[in-house]
């Protein structure tokens, strides 16, 4: 009898044509997360089976992997011989206090001499006989005893835990996350990874107006996100010249609108250079002046690449809940300024006009500055290895 972890893929199994690619990607992501541990994986189209001396540690790491529907700790027997299954079940339940229960049997081996009903009923009898006080309750049991019979092996498990769901990171291709030091953009990054997008991230810094601490904070947030994907490539763009140019040449109420148009332009260029198919950001409708529908329209109009906004329709409190869940919140609320907060005008325009933006931009040579910003970007590869996650290594 071997103790093991069984993984159910859930939503993956509906992707018929792509299933092999999905499972292979999931396996690669799990291998990456379990690197340095002693473990072995077997898998088929329906399940993954992980054997390891320290299953608790394996389970902790699996909690960060998208594409897993259920994480089950159970027991594998190298036989499907019915008497042996009964004996094994008896030894597993003897010491446990089982009250109401039901037995659920799944036979992927259809030539087995007993039906699922017959198996469940016989094994229910084993429990009733060996656990005084136990009763069968098929509708609302405290314990569900699951039996699975494959062609030459059988499995028993009692409880399963929810995985992160979603698709394995990487199956959807790459996207570029505009990552600031705030609360919203890390949450937007997390939600897009959940749909299988591998993230690269871009951060605009404006030293000396923004501090080194602000940059370190963004690196920490990227590291927190990398827990879910193994690594993230972070592009750091020197934005000072552009921002100072805007300040000199653009009326104050349009500062933010034009600044964001510049960020979008540079992000699009970096995305295309790095094979990222979309931009992702933490904009939320109506949250600030630059996130009204009019602003989004005028800002978005400078790029052709699709832009997704995973938190567009969430309330701030809903975003904060997710931020806390992914352990980004404490870092996001650190007080270091980013380039938006320093250049905030008193009355930013809430319904900017595209013609006016074009006019304000035509009055100075921002194109060279944008070229320079793209050329001089700094790239760091952030991995999950040297953060909190390392305590689990
Ligand atoms: P908050 O949680 O305070 O709203 P925020 O990061 O969402 O923080 P906003 O000013 O609302 O700040 O910016 C909207 C979006 O624009 C961000 O979610 C992020 O995707 C992008 N963004 C803003 N500033 C930067 C920056 N310095 N570098 C990269 N992306 C940025
Ligand atoms: Mg925001």
């Amino acid at each position: 009898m071997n103790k093991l972890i069984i993984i159910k893929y859930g939503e993956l199994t509906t992707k018929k044509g792509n299933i092999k690619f999905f499972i292979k990607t999931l396996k690669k992501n799990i291998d990456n997360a379990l690197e340095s541990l002693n473990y072995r994986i077997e898998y088929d189209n329906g399940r993954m089976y992980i054997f390891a001396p320290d299953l608790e540690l394996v389970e902790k790491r699996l909690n960060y992997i998208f594409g897993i529907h259920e994480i089950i700790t159970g027991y594998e027997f190298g036989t499907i011989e019915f008497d042996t299954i009964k004996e094994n079940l008896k030894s597993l339940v003897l010491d446990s206090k089982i009250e109401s229960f039901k037995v659920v049997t799944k036979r992927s081996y259809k030539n087995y001499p007993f039906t699922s009903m017959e198996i469940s009923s016989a094994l229910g009898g084993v429990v009733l006989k060996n656990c005084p006080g136990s009763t069968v309750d098929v509708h609302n049991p405290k314990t569900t005893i699951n039996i699975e019979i494959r062609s030459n092996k059988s499995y028993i498990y009692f409880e399963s835990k929810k995985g992160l769901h979603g698709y394995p990171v990487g199956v959807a291709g790459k996207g570029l996350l505009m990552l600031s030091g705030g609360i919203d953009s890390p949450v937007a990054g997390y939600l897009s990874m959940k749909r299988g997008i591998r993230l690269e991230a871009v951060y605009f810094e404006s030293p000396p107006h923004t501090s080194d601490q602000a940059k370190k904070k963004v690196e920490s947030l990227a590291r927190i996100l990398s827990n879910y994907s193994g690594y993230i490539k972070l592009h750091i763009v020197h934005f000072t010249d552009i921002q100072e140019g805007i300040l000199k040449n653009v009326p104050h109420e349009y500062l933010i609108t034009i600044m964001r148009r510049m960020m979008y332009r540079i992000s699009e260029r970096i995305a295309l250079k790095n094979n990222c198919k979309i931009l992702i950001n933490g904009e939320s409708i109506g949250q600030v002046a630059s996130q009204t529908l009019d602003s989004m329209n005028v800002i978005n109009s400078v790029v052709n690449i699709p832009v997704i906004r995973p938190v567009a329709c969430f309330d701030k409190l809903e975003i904060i809940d997710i931020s806390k869940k992914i352990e980004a919140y404490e870092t996001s609320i650190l007080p270091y300024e980013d380039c938006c907060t320093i250049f905030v005008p008193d009355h930013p325009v809430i319904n900017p006009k595209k013609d006016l933006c074009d006019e304000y931009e035509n009055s100075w040579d921002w194109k060279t500055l944008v070229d320079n910003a793209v050329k001089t970007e700094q790239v760091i590869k952030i991995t999950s290895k040297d953060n909190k996650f390392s305590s689990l290594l």
Side-chain angles (χ1 to χ4, degrees):
M1 174 158 78
N2 274 326
K3 203 166 174 187
L4 82 166
I5 285 180
I6 304 171
I7 287 174
K8 290 193 187 176
Y9 312 134
E11 195 172 354
L12 293 194
T13 50
T14 60
K15 299 277 165 215
K16 287 229 160 49
N18 282 334
I19 191 156
K20 283 218 166 74
F21 171 60
F22 276 57
I23 294 171
K24 256 201 175 139
T25 308
L26 178 62
K27 161 87 166 43
K28 202 166 89 192
N29 294 348
I30 291 177
D31 279 334
N32 187 36
L34 300 185
E35 194 189 41
S36 80
L37 294 186
N38 183 6
Y39 70 97
R40 179 170 61 82
I41 297 184
E42 289 172 17
Y43 64 101
D44 55 31
N45 279 357
R47 302 267 194 279
M48 210 169 270
Y49 304 87
I50 306 183
F51 304 87
D54 191 344
L55 288 175
E56 234 174 84
L57 194 48
V58 168
E59 190 187 319
K60 275 189 188 149
R61 296 209 194 168
L62 293 178
N63 286 328
Y64 289 87
I65 308 281
F66 288 112
I68 296 178
H69 193 66
E70 280 177 65
I71 302 173
I72 298 160
T73 306
Y75 302 86
E76 180 194 72
F77 315 115
T79 176
I80 53 172
E81 213 266 311
F82 198 41
D83 283 338
T84 318
I85 294 176
K86 283 198 269 190
E87 275 310 306
N88 284 328
L89 177 62
K90 180 177 163 188
S91 70
L92 285 173
V93 296
L94 255 186
D95 288 334
S96 51
K97 201 171 157 348
I98 292 183
E99 295 169 10
S100 62
F101 74 97
K102 74 170 171 183
V103 179
V104 176
T105 302
K106 198 167 165 259
R107 288 178 325 155
S108 57
Y109 179 50
K110 298 297 177 203
N111 292 331
Y112 201 62
F114 307 104
T115 64
S116 296
M117 288 288 276
E118 287 167 341
I119 299 167
S120 296
S121 142
L123 294 177
V126 170
V127 178
L128 288 170
K129 196 162 146 201
N130 292 285
C131 300
S134 62
T135 53
V136 174
D137 180 348
V138 289
H139 299 296
N140 201 11
K142 279 198 173 143
T143 308
T144 300
I145 301 174
N146 297 278
I147 314 289
E148 289 192 21
I149 297 184
R150 295 206 288 164
S151 58
N152 56 0
K153 287 175 184 163
S154 49
Y155 301 85
I156 295 181
Y157 56 89
F158 298 90
E159 59 162 332
S160 75
K161 293 183 188 149
K162 262 173 78 168
L164 270 190
H165 295 204
Y167 296 142
V169 169
V171 294
K174 279 198 297 182
L176 182 66
L177 170 68
M178 300 168 73
L179 181 61
S180 65
I183 295 168
D184 304 327
S185 49
V187 171
Y190 170 84
L191 292 172
S192 40
M193 283 192 281
K194 183 168 187 174
R195 301 316 294 166
I197 298 172
R198 174 163 289 288
L199 292 185
E200 296 204 8
V202 57
Y203 169 60
F204 296 88
E205 62 162 357
S206 297
H209 311 296
T210 57
S211 64
D212 205 44
Q213 285 160 310
K215 176 161 80 177
K216 289 267 171 322
K217 177 179 167 185
V218 171
E219 286 175 24
S220 302
L221 290 169
R223 204 162 280 126
I224 289 166
L225 290 176
S226 75
N227 280 340
Y228 299 89
S229 64
Y231 63 91
I232 285 179
K233 217 164 111 185
L234 175 63
H235 302 261
I236 298 177
V237 173
H238 186 85
F239 202 53
T240 316
D241 299 341
I242 295 174
Q243 216 159 18
E244 288 177 352
I246 296 171
L247 204 57
K248 228 187 284 163
N249 294 290
V250 172
H252 273 214
E253 57 172 10
Y254 269 75
L255 287 182
I256 298 275
T257 315
I258 305 290
M259 182 184 82
R260 297 197 61 74
R261 281 162 62 104
M262 298 298 171
M263 283 185 178
Y264 268 55
R265 290 181 171 112
I266 295 170
S267 299
E268 181 180 51
R269 299 256 302 262
I270 292 177
L272 295 178
K273 243 171 61 178
N274 290 277
N275 198 24
C276 295
K277 309 268 193 281
I278 55 164
L279 298 183
I280 302 153
N281 67 40
E283 289 171 352
S284 178
I285 296 163
Q287 193 185 79
V288 287
S290 62
Q291 293 167 29
T292 61
L293 295 186
D294 279 331
S295 287
M296 283 183 178
N297 202 293
V298 162
I299 292 166
N300 206 145
S301 69
V302 300
V303 295
N304 289 315
I305 191 169
V307 181
I308 66 160
R309 300 167 177 85
V311 300
C313 299
F314 286 13
D315 292 345
K316 193 76 187 186
L317 287 178
E318 293 171 313
I319 300 172
I320 287 175
D321 274 352
I322 303 177
S323 172
K324 287 182 175 162
K325 192 181 95 185
I326 65 173
E327 295 167 358
Y329 186 69
E330 295 302 323
T331 306
S332 286
I333 59 172
L334 292 172
Y336 313 119
E337 306 265 282
D338 85 356
C339 50
C340 299
T341 45
I342 280 175
F343 286 78
V344 177
D346 288 341
H347 301 290
V349 60
I350 54 171
N351 53 354
K353 302 283 174 277
K354 194 172 167 304
D355 293 352
L356 282 180
C357 291
D358 293 338
E359 189 186 317
Y360 299 146
E361 286 174 354
N362 284 338
S363 66
W364 58 293
D365 178 24
W366 52 268
K367 287 192 178 128
T368 317
L369 300 182
V370 165
D371 285 346
N372 269 344
V374 174
K375 245 185 259 159
T376 58
E377 62 149 349
Q378 223 192 315
V379 181
I380 334 178
K381 186 172 173 182
I382 307 252
T383 74
S384 60
K385 300 277 148 55
D386 47 2
N387 62 357
K388 267 208 297 195
F389 198 53
S390 63
S391 64
L392 306 176
L393 290 177

